[in-house]
Coordinates of all heavy atoms in Angstrom, one line a residue:
M94 N 93.3 27.0 112.0 CA 92.1 27.1 112.8 C 92.5 27.1 114.3 O 93.3 26.3 114.7 CB 91.2 26.0 112.5 CG 89.7 26.3 112.9 SD 88.6 25.1 112.2 CE 88.7 23.8 113.5
T95 N 91.9 28.0 115.1 CA 92.2 28.0 116.6 C 91.4 26.9 117.2 O 90.4 26.4 116.7 CB 91.8 29.3 117.2 OG1 90.4 29.6 116.9 CG2 92.7 30.5 116.7
V96 N 91.9 26.4 118.4 CA 91.2 25.4 119.1 C 90.3 25.9 120.1 O 90.6 26.9 120.9 CB 92.3 24.5 119.8 CG1 91.6 23.4 120.7 CG2 93.2 23.8 118.8
S97 N 89.0 25.5 120.2 CA 88.0 26.0 121.1 C 88.4 25.5 122.5 O 88.8 24.4 122.7 CB 86.7 25.5 120.8 OG 86.3 25.9 119.5
T98 N 88.3 26.4 123.5 CA 88.6 26.1 124.9 C 87.4 26.3 125.8 O 86.7 27.4 125.7 CB 89.8 27.0 125.3 OG1 90.9 26.9 124.4 CG2 90.2 26.7 126.7
C99 N 87.2 25.4 126.7 CA 86.1 25.6 127.6 C 86.4 26.7 128.6 O 87.5 26.8 129.1 CB 85.9 24.2 128.4 SG 84.7 24.4 129.7
V100 N 85.4 27.6 128.8 CA 85.6 28.7 129.7 C 85.7 28.3 131.1 O 86.3 29.0 131.9 CB 84.5 29.8 129.5 CG1 84.6 30.5 128.2 CG2 83.1 29.2 129.7
K101 N 85.2 27.1 131.5 CA 85.2 26.7 132.9 C 86.4 25.9 133.2 O 87.1 26.2 134.2 CB 83.9 25.9 133.2 CG 83.7 25.7 134.7 CD 82.5 24.9 134.9 CE 82.4 24.5 136.3 NZ 81.4 23.3 136.5
C102 N 86.7 24.9 132.4 CA 87.8 24.0 132.8 C 89.0 24.0 131.9 O 90.0 23.4 132.2 CB 87.3 22.6 133.0 SG 87.0 21.7 131.3
G103 N 88.9 24.8 130.8 CA 90.1 24.9 129.9 C 90.2 23.7 129.0 O 91.2 23.6 128.3
G104 N 89.2 22.8 129.0 CA 89.3 21.6 128.2 C 89.1 22.0 126.7 O 88.7 23.0 126.3
H105 N 89.6 21.1 125.8 CA 89.5 21.3 124.4 C 88.7 20.3 123.6 O 88.6 20.3 122.4 CB 91.0 21.2 123.8 CG 91.9 22.3 124.4 ND1 91.6 23.6 124.1 CD2 93.0 22.2 125.1 CE1 92.6 24.3 124.7 NE2 93.4 23.5 125.4
S106 N 88.0 19.4 124.4 CA 87.1 18.5 123.6 C 85.6 18.7 124.0 O 85.3 19.0 125.1 CB 87.5 17.0 123.9 OG 87.7 16.8 125.3
F107 N 84.8 18.6 122.9 CA 83.4 18.9 123.1 C 82.6 17.7 122.5 O 83.1 17.0 121.6 CB 83.1 20.2 122.4 CG 83.8 21.3 123.0 CD1 85.1 21.7 122.5 CD2 83.3 22.0 124.0 CE1 85.8 22.7 123.0 CE2 84.0 23.1 124.6 CZ 85.2 23.5 124.1
E108 N 81.4 17.6 123.0 CA 80.5 16.5 122.5 C 79.1 17.0 122.3 O 78.8 18.1 122.8 CB 80.5 15.3 123.5 CG 79.9 15.8 124.8 CD 80.1 14.7 125.9 OE1 80.9 13.7 125.7 OE2 79.6 15.0 127.1
V109 N 78.3 16.3 121.5 CA 77.0 16.7 121.2 C 76.1 15.8 122.1 O 76.2 14.5 122.1 CB 76.6 16.5 119.7 CG1 75.1 16.8 119.5 CG2 77.4 17.5 118.9
A110 N 75.2 16.4 122.9 CA 74.3 15.6 123.7 C 72.9 16.1 123.4 O 72.6 17.2 123.2 CB 74.6 15.9 125.2
L111 N 71.9 15.1 123.5 CA 70.5 15.5 123.2 C 69.9 15.8 124.6 O 70.2 15.2 125.6 CB 69.8 14.3 122.7 CG 69.9 14.0 121.1 CD1 69.2 12.8 120.8 CD2 69.4 15.2 120.4
F112 N 69.0 16.8 124.6 CA 68.3 17.2 125.8 C 66.9 17.6 125.4 O 66.7 18.1 124.3 CB 69.1 18.2 126.7 CG 69.0 19.6 126.1 CD1 68.1 20.5 126.6 CD2 69.8 20.0 125.0 CE1 68.1 21.8 126.1 CE2 69.8 21.2 124.5 CZ 68.9 22.2 125.0
T113 N 66.0 17.5 126.4 CA 64.6 17.9 126.2 C 64.4 19.2 127.0 O 64.6 19.2 128.2 CB 63.6 16.9 126.7 OG1 63.9 15.7 125.9 CG2 62.2 17.3 126.3
P114 N 64.1 20.4 126.4 CA 63.8 21.6 127.2 C 62.7 21.4 128.1 O 61.7 20.7 127.8 CB 63.5 22.6 126.1 CG 64.1 22.1 124.8 CD 64.0 20.6 124.9
L115 N 62.8 22.0 129.3 CA 61.8 21.8 130.3 C 60.4 22.2 129.8 O 60.2 23.2 129.2 CB 62.1 22.7 131.5 CG 61.4 22.4 132.9 CD1 61.9 21.1 133.4 CD2 61.8 23.5 133.9
G116 N 59.4 21.3 129.9 CA 58.0 21.5 129.5 C 57.8 21.3 128.0 O 56.7 21.6 127.5
R117 N 58.8 20.8 127.3 CA 58.7 20.6 125.8 C 58.8 19.1 125.6 O 59.2 18.4 126.3 CB 59.8 21.3 125.1 CG 59.9 22.8 125.4 CD 58.8 23.6 124.7 NE 58.9 25.0 125.1 CZ 57.8 25.8 125.0 NH1 56.7 25.4 124.6 NH2 58.0 27.0 125.3
S118 N 58.2 18.8 124.4 CA 58.3 17.3 124.0 C 59.3 17.0 123.0 O 59.5 15.8 122.6 CB 56.9 16.9 123.5 OG 56.5 17.7 122.5
Y119 N 60.0 18.0 122.4 CA 61.0 17.8 121.4 C 62.4 17.8 122.0 O 62.6 18.3 123.1 CB 60.9 18.8 120.3 CG 61.0 20.3 120.8 CD1 62.2 20.9 121.0 CD2 59.8 21.0 121.0 CE1 62.2 22.2 121.4 CE2 59.8 22.3 121.4 CZ 61.1 22.9 121.6 OH 61.1 24.2 122.1
K120 N 63.3 17.3 121.3 CA 64.7 17.3 121.7 C 65.6 18.3 120.9 O 65.3 18.5 119.8 CB 65.3 15.9 121.6 CG 64.8 14.9 122.6 CD 65.6 13.6 122.4 CE 65.1 12.4 123.2 NZ 64.6 12.6 124.6
L121 N 66.6 18.8 121.6 CA 67.5 19.7 120.9 C 68.9 19.1 121.2 O 69.1 18.3 122.1 CB 67.5 21.1 121.5 CG 66.2 21.9 121.2 CD1 66.3 23.3 121.9 CD2 66.0 22.1 119.7
S122 N 69.8 19.3 120.2 CA 71.2 18.9 120.4 C 72.0 20.1 121.0 O 71.9 21.2 120.6 CB 71.8 18.6 119.1 OG 71.1 17.6 118.4
M123 N 72.8 19.7 122.0 CA 73.6 20.7 122.7 C 75.0 20.3 122.6 O 75.4 19.1 122.8 CB 73.1 20.7 124.2 CG 74.0 21.7 125.1 SD 73.2 21.8 126.7 CE 73.2 20.1 127.2
V124 N 75.9 21.3 122.3 CA 77.3 21.1 122.3 C 77.8 21.4 123.6 O 77.5 22.5 124.1 CB 78.0 21.9 121.2 CG1 79.5 21.7 121.2 CG2 77.4 21.7 119.8
Q125 N 78.5 20.4 124.2 CA 79.0 20.7 125.6 C 80.4 20.2 125.8 O 80.9 19.4 125.0 CB 78.1 19.9 126.6 CG 78.1 18.5 126.5 CD 77.1 17.7 127.5 OE1 76.1 18.3 127.8 NE2 77.4 16.5 127.8
C126 N 81.1 20.8 126.8 CA 82.5 20.3 127.1 C 82.4 18.9 127.5 O 81.6 18.5 128.4 CB 83.0 21.2 128.2 SG 84.6 20.7 128.8
S127 N 83.3 18.0 126.9 CA 83.2 16.6 127.3 C 83.8 16.3 128.6 O 83.7 15.3 129.2 CB 83.8 15.8 126.2 OG 85.2 16.2 126.1
S128 N 84.5 17.3 129.2 CA 85.1 17.1 130.5 C 84.2 17.5 131.7 O 84.0 16.8 132.6 CB 86.5 17.9 130.6 OG 87.3 17.6 129.6
C129 N 83.6 18.7 131.6 CA 82.9 19.2 132.7 C 81.4 19.4 132.3 O 80.5 19.7 133.2 CB 83.4 20.5 133.2 SG 83.2 21.9 132.2
G130 N 81.0 19.3 131.1 CA 79.6 19.4 130.7 C 79.1 20.8 130.5 O 77.8 20.9 130.4
V131 N 79.9 21.8 130.5 CA 79.4 23.2 130.4 C 78.9 23.3 128.9 O 79.6 22.9 128.0 CB 80.6 24.2 130.6 CG1 80.2 25.5 129.9 CG2 80.7 24.5 132.1
P132 N 77.6 23.7 128.7 CA 77.1 23.9 127.4 C 77.7 25.1 126.7 O 77.9 26.2 127.3 CB 75.6 24.1 127.6 CG 75.5 24.6 129.0 CD 76.6 24.1 129.8
V133 N 78.1 24.9 125.4 CA 78.7 26.0 124.7 C 77.8 26.4 123.5 O 78.0 27.4 122.8 CB 80.1 25.7 124.2 CG1 81.1 25.6 125.3 CG2 80.1 24.4 123.3
G134 N 76.8 25.6 123.2 CA 75.9 26.0 122.1 C 74.8 24.9 122.0 O 74.9 23.9 122.4
V135 N 73.7 25.4 121.3 CA 72.6 24.5 121.0 C 72.3 24.4 119.5 O 72.4 25.4 118.8 CB 71.3 25.0 121.8 CG1 70.1 24.2 121.4 CG2 71.5 25.0 123.2
L136 N 72.1 23.2 119.1 CA 71.7 22.9 117.6 C 70.3 22.5 117.6 O 69.9 21.7 118.4 CB 72.7 21.9 117.0 CG 74.2 22.0 117.2 CD1 74.8 20.7 116.9 CD2 74.7 23.1 116.4
D137 N 69.6 23.0 116.6 CA 68.2 22.5 116.4 C 68.3 21.5 115.2 O 68.5 21.8 114.1 CB 67.3 23.7 116.0 CG 65.9 23.3 115.9 OD1 65.6 22.1 115.8 OD2 65.0 24.2 115.9
P138 N 68.0 20.2 115.6 CA 68.1 19.1 114.5 C 67.0 19.2 113.5 O 67.2 18.6 112.4 CB 68.0 17.8 115.4 CG 67.6 18.2 116.7 CD 67.7 19.7 116.9
S139 N 66.0 20.0 113.7 CA 64.9 20.1 112.7 C 65.2 21.1 111.6 O 64.5 21.2 110.7 CB 63.6 20.4 113.4 OG 63.6 21.8 113.8
V140 N 66.3 21.9 111.8 CA 66.7 22.9 110.8 C 66.8 22.3 109.4 O 66.4 22.8 108.4 CB 68.0 23.7 111.2 CG1 68.5 24.4 110.0 CG2 67.6 24.6 112.3
Q141 N 67.6 21.1 109.3 CA 67.8 20.5 108.1 C 66.5 20.1 107.3 O 66.3 20.4 106.2 CB 68.7 19.2 108.3 CG 69.2 18.6 107.0 CD 70.1 19.5 106.2 OE1 70.9 20.3 106.7 NE2 69.9 19.5 104.8
A142 N 65.5 19.5 108.1 CA 64.3 19.1 107.5 C 63.5 20.3 107.0 O 62.9 20.3 106.0 CB 63.5 18.4 108.6
R143 N 63.5 21.4 107.8 CA 62.8 22.6 107.4 C 63.5 23.3 106.2 O 62.8 23.8 105.3 CB 62.8 23.7 108.5 CG 61.7 23.4 109.5 CD 61.5 24.4 110.6 NE 62.4 24.2 111.7 CZ 62.8 25.1 112.5 NH1 62.6 26.3 112.4 NH2 63.6 24.7 113.6
L144 N 64.8 23.2 106.0 CA 65.5 23.7 104.9 C 65.0 22.9 103.6 O 64.8 23.5 102.6 CB 67.0 23.6 105.0 CG 67.7 24.8 105.6 CD1 69.2 24.5 105.8 CD2 67.5 26.0 104.8
E145 N 64.9 21.6 103.8 CA 64.6 20.7 102.7 C 63.1 21.1 102.2 O 62.9 21.2 101.0 CB 64.6 19.3 103.0 CG 66.0 18.7 103.2 CD 66.9 18.9 102.0 OE1 66.4 18.7 100.9 OE2 68.1 19.3 102.1
A146 N 62.2 21.3 103.2 CA 60.9 21.7 102.8 C 60.8 23.1 102.1 O 60.1 23.2 101.1 CB 60.0 21.8 104.1
L147 N 61.6 24.0 102.6 CA 61.7 25.3 101.9 C 62.2 25.2 100.5 O 61.7 25.8 99.5 CB 62.6 26.3 102.7 CG 62.0 27.0 103.8 CD1 63.0 27.9 104.5 CD2 60.9 27.9 103.3
K148 N 63.2 24.3 100.3 CA 63.8 24.1 98.9 C 62.7 23.6 98.0 O 62.6 24.0 96.8 CB 65.0 23.1 99.0 CG 66.3 23.8 99.3 CD 67.4 22.9 98.8 CE 68.1 22.3 100.0 NZ 69.2 21.3 99.7
T149 N 61.9 22.6 98.5 CA 60.8 22.1 97.7 C 59.8 23.1 97.3 O 59.3 23.2 96.2 CB 60.1 20.9 98.5 OG1 61.1 20.0 98.9 CG2 59.1 20.2 97.6
Q150 N 59.5 24.0 98.3 CA 58.5 25.1 98.0 C 59.0 26.1 97.0 O 58.3 26.5 96.1 CB 58.2 25.9 99.3 CG 57.2 25.2 100.2 CD 56.9 25.9 101.5 OE1 57.2 27.1 101.5 NE2 56.5 25.2 102.5
I151 N 60.3 26.4 97.1 CA 60.9 27.3 96.2 C 60.9 26.7 94.7 O 60.6 27.4 93.8 CB 62.4 27.7 96.6 CG1 62.3 28.6 97.8 CG2 63.2 28.5 95.5 CD1 63.6 28.8 98.5
A152 N 61.2 25.4 94.6 CA 61.2 24.8 93.3 C 59.8 24.8 92.8 O 59.7 25.1 91.5 CB 61.7 23.4 93.5
A153 N 58.8 24.7 93.6 CA 57.4 24.7 93.1 C 57.0 26.1 92.6 O 56.4 26.3 91.5 CB 56.4 24.2 94.2
I154 N 57.5 27.1 93.3 CA 57.2 28.5 93.0 C 57.9 28.8 91.6 O 57.3 29.5 90.7 CB 57.7 29.5 94.1 CG1 56.8 29.3 95.3 CG2 57.6 30.9 93.6 CD1 57.3 30.0 96.6
D155 N 59.2 28.4 91.5 CA 59.9 28.6 90.3 C 59.2 27.9 89.1 O 59.1 28.6 88.1 CB 61.3 28.0 90.5 CG 62.3 28.3 89.4 OD1 62.3 29.6 89.2 OD2 62.9 27.5 88.8
E156 N 58.7 26.7 89.3 CA 58.0 26.1 88.2 C 56.8 26.8 87.8 O 56.5 27.0 86.6 CB 57.6 24.6 88.7 CG 57.2 23.7 87.6 CD 56.7 22.4 88.2 OE1 57.4 21.8 89.0 OE2 55.5 22.1 88.0
R157 N 56.0 27.4 88.8 CA 54.8 28.1 88.5 C 55.2 29.4 87.7 O 54.5 29.8 86.8 CB 54.0 28.4 89.7 CG 53.0 27.3 90.1 CD 52.3 27.6 91.4 NE 52.6 26.6 92.3 CZ 52.6 26.8 93.6 NH1 52.3 27.9 94.2 NH2 52.9 25.7 94.4
M158 N 56.2 30.1 88.1 CA 56.6 31.3 87.5 C 57.0 31.1 86.0 O 56.7 31.9 85.2 CB 57.8 32.0 88.3 CG 57.3 32.7 89.5 SD 58.7 33.5 90.4 CE 59.1 34.8 89.3
T159 N 57.7 29.9 85.8 CA 58.1 29.6 84.4 C 56.8 29.4 83.6 O 56.8 29.9 82.4 CB 58.9 28.2 84.5 OG1 60.0 28.4 85.3 CG2 59.4 27.9 83.1
R160 N 55.8 28.7 84.2 CA 54.6 28.5 83.4 C 53.9 29.8 83.1 O 53.4 30.1 82.0 CB 53.6 27.6 84.2 CG 53.4 26.2 83.6 CD 52.4 25.4 84.4 NE 53.0 24.8 85.6 CZ 52.3 24.4 86.7 NH1 51.1 24.6 86.7 NH2 53.0 23.8 87.6
I161 N 53.9 30.8 84.1 CA 53.2 32.1 83.9 C 54.0 32.8 82.8 O 53.4 33.4 81.9 CB 53.3 32.9 85.3 CG1 52.3 32.2 86.3 CG2 52.9 34.4 85.0 CD1 52.5 32.8 87.7
A162 N 55.4 32.8 82.9 CA 56.2 33.5 81.9 C 55.9 32.9 80.5 O 55.8 33.7 79.5 CB 57.6 33.3 82.2
R163 N 55.7 31.6 80.4 CA 55.4 31.0 79.1 C 54.0 31.5 78.6 O 53.9 31.8 77.4 CB 55.4 29.5 79.2 CG 56.8 28.9 78.8 CD 56.7 27.4 78.5 NE 57.9 26.8 79.1 CZ 57.8 25.8 80.0 NH1 56.7 25.3 80.4 NH2 58.9 25.3 80.5
A164 N 53.0 31.5 79.5 CA 51.7 31.9 79.1 C 51.7 33.4 78.7 O 51.0 33.7 77.7 CB 50.8 31.7 80.3
L165 N 52.5 34.2 79.3 CA 52.5 35.6 78.9 C 53.2 35.8 77.6 O 52.8 36.6 76.8 CB 53.3 36.4 80.0 CG 52.6 36.6 81.3 CD1 53.5 37.3 82.3 CD2 51.3 37.5 81.1
A166 N 54.2 35.0 77.3 CA 54.9 35.1 76.1 C 54.1 34.5 74.9 O 54.3 35.0 73.8 CB 56.3 34.3 76.2
G167 N 53.4 33.5 75.2 CA 52.6 32.9 74.2 C 51.4 33.7 73.8 O 50.8 33.7 72.8
Ligands
ZN65 ZN1 84.9 22.2 130.6

């Protein structure tokens, strides 16, 4: 694996920092250079929770489809 390099200072270490976007009430996680603070990416911490909710919905749909299939077969 190649080592990520900061475009500004050439540093190789990065950290995750929480920040609140201007005018918003939620926080986002930002990956930044630990030497100079240049942001290299943003992570949305709510993605995991939303994925879990989607999984639950898909399971419920799957269960209903199984019931419909059984009703049609019977
Ligand atoms: Zn840097």
Side-chain angles (χ1 to χ4, degrees):
M94 201 171 82
T95 53
V96 178
S97 299
T98 305
C99 173
V100 291
K101 191 181 172 196
C102 75
H105 296 296
S106 45
F107 300 89
E108 62 192 6
V109 174
L111 279 177
F112 74 101
T113 306
L115 199 64
R117 305 285 176 201
S118 56
Y119 55 84
K120 286 188 189 323
L121 292 176
S122 301
M123 178 171 57
V124 180
Q125 63 184 28
C126 173
S127 59
S128 304
C129 72
V131 159
V133 292
V135 174
L136 310 167
D137 185 342
S139 70
V140 164
Q141 189 62 38
R143 277 187 271 156
L144 269 179
E145 290 303 318
L147 274 178
K148 273 201 254 173
T149 306
Q150 281 180 24
I151 290 169
I154 292 168
D155 191 50
E156 195 188 303
R157 270 177 243 152
M158 282 180 71
T159 305
R160 250 185 276 155
I161 291 167
R163 263 196 225 123
L165 287 175

